[in-house]
Each structure stands twice: as structure tokens, then as C-alpha cells.
Amino acid sequence: MNQQQELILVSAPNKAGEAFIRELLSGGLPFAVLVNNKGEKAAMERLGVKTVLTVSTLEETTWIAPPYSIGKVFLFETSLNLCCRYVRICRPWTSQPVYVITKSSHPRLIYKALGADYVIHTNRDEVSFLIQALVG
């Protein structure tokens, strides 16, 4: 991998996130997936993900930037607490936008206060429209 190439970072613990990963794979876009447990890591590897970054969301001392450059970040929400932690973990790793994709009615200001640039509300699992954020 090119040292200067930025990877898209994705947390995809739901169907919408998995659909987004399939889009990235089919488009040949360089990305890594963020997980916090072995089961989720195995699920991502079954999808064909080559670069999986496992973090402990409980241990702040382990929130060290990965050994590759991170570009845009896409965090698919399944839990307010987990997604908030992921925003806190990822925000220092990139100067690029951090996107939170949610189906919930959680106040967007929580994510914005933690460093998310965009909070996208959708009830769809098909999220190919997000690919536009990568080419723009």
C-alpha cells in the first residue's frame, strides 16, 4: 500500500454499514474497518475486508492512531454510547470529515460536540449515496 494513501475508516455494525462496505469493495476504494470485538472482526473478514482495526472502547490509553493515514470516517450507529466513543477515538486521527450515519433520533449535537462533521439520518439500509461523499 502507498504510504501516502489515506484509508477510509468505517465502523459497520449493522446492515447499512455492511452495504456500504460492499460498495467500497466493489469500487476498489482503499479502506479499513474499525471494530471492538472478535465477533465483529470475523464478520468483517467474511465480507472480504482485508484491513481491520480492533480497538478497546473501554481503555482510552489504547486509542492510538493506526500505522496508516486515515481519511474520511464513516461511523454507522447501533448504540449511542459506542458511536460516541468511536467519534472520540477517530476524531484525532484525521483532519478529514467524520460522518455518523444513524436511524435513531439521538440529538445530532451530541455527535457534533464530540467532533463529527456530519450526522446523517436514514431509515434505509441501502446507502450507496454515501459514496458521493468520497468522490466530492
Side-chain angles (χ1 to χ4, degrees), residues 46-75:
R46 282 192 300 275
L47 279 177
V49 175
K50 301 288 183 235
T51 307
V52 179
L53 177 62
T54 305
V55 296
S56 168
T57 53
L58 302 177
E59 278 301 317
E60 237 176 290
T61 57
T62 67
W63 299 355
I64 300 165
Y68 35 81
S69 292
I70 299 297
K72 293 179 180 176
V73 176
F74 292 84
L75 304 172

Side-chain angles (χ1 to χ4, degrees), residues 60-124:
E60 237 176 290
T61 57
T62 67
W63 299 355
I64 300 165
Y68 35 81
S69 292
I70 299 297
K72 293 179 180 176
V73 176
F74 292 84
L75 304 172
F76 289 82
E77 180 201 63
T78 55
S79 144
L80 176 66
N81 278 344
L82 181 60
C83 198
C84 284
R85 284 190 183 151
Y86 278 163
V87 172
R88 288 184 53 220
I89 290 168
C90 298
R91 179 71 276 173
W93 295 353
T94 184
S95 59
Q96 295 288 324
V98 173
Y99 298 80
V100 172
I101 301 88
T102 179
K103 291 182 178 186
S104 76
S105 59
H106 293 140
R108 63 188 285 280
L109 293 178
I110 293 172
Y111 293 125
K112 298 284 251 178
L114 291 172
D117 296 285
Y118 302 100
V119 179
I120 300 168
H121 293 273
T122 181
N123 288 320
R124 301 171 52 204

Side-chain angles (χ1 to χ4, degrees), residues 8 20 23-24 29 74 127-136:
I8 301 157
F20 185 66
E23 291 282 335
L24 294 173
L29 296 166
F74 292 84
V127 290
S128 60
F129 66 90
L130 292 172
I131 297 297
Q132 293 305 310
L134 298 172
V135 295

